[in-house]
Amino acid sequence: MNIQINNSSDDPIYLQIKNQIKAQIISGDLKAHEQLPSIRFLAKELRVSMVTAKRAFDELERDGFINSVQGKGNFVAAQNKELIREEYLKRIEAKLQELLELSKIADVSTDELVVMLKTYVEGEYD
């Protein structure tokens, strides 16, 4: 598991940890039922407090990405395909919002955006 903490990021450290672990689960880098490092070990490796690491794990468990087994540790949960799809839809929506903001700045119409998207998709699959 590879986690990079960016101290200049606007995101709090626990959220950086959570998002990076979640991304590794979604991408398949971390497999279902794989054991994660202990909170103590993760905190030591990342040089963060155990409270910070625990908060990241608690949120991952709340969101259904990991399971905590008393006395055994934390494990990657078997992934629900709808949950993963929902995560990708959120990413797409964020990119679309950014695209709309850029198109307003560049005075690109909705029709032009649709044509650009269709052209791009057709070019990708030819």
Side-chain angles (χ1 to χ4, degrees):
M1 186 167 60
N2 182 22
I3 297 175
Q4 302 294 320
I5 301 299
N6 180 354
N7 290 321
S8 63
S9 172
D10 290 336
D11 289 336
I13 293 172
Y14 83 90
L15 191 57
Q16 292 180 49
I17 296 168
K18 173 190 170 185
N19 289 340
Q20 289 180 53
I21 293 173
K22 184 163 61 169
Q24 290 177 44
I25 292 170
I26 290 171
S27 71
D29 290 340
L30 292 173
K31 308 288 186 219
H33 312 294
E34 184 175 336
Q35 186 167 13
L36 299 173
S38 70
I39 292 170
R40 183 182 311 251
F41 179 82
L42 183 66
K44 184 177 177 185
E45 286 295 304
L46 298 177
R47 296 186 176 145
V48 299
S49 76
M50 285 181 42
V51 172
T52 299
K54 180 167 178 15
R55 183 168 181 191
F57 276 33
D58 286 348
E59 290 203 7
L60 285 164
E61 184 172 22
R62 184 198 69 214
D63 293 348
F65 286 93
I66 68 172
N67 295 319
S68 177
V69 179
Q70 187 69 26
K72 294 193 178 190
N74 294 292
F75 298 84
V76 176
Q79 292 305 299
N80 177 333
K81 291 189 191 266
E82 275 303 308
L83 182 65
I84 291 174
R85 184 175 191 280
E86 188 64 30
E87 286 298 317
Y88 279 113
L89 286 174
K90 284 185 203 175
R91 289 184 186 180
I92 292 168
E93 288 170 357
K95 299 281 186 194
L96 285 172
Q97 183 61 41
E98 183 180 346
L99 178 70
L100 289 174
E101 291 168 6
L102 289 172
S103 68
K104 284 179 186 175
I105 293 169
D107 196 29
V108 176
S109 72
T110 303
D111 290 338
E112 289 174 297
L113 282 175
V114 170
V115 168
M116 290 169 70
L117 180 61
K118 284 182 178 179
T119 302
Y120 183 81
V121 169
E122 289 168 0
E124 283 288 310
Y125 298 107
D126 284 348

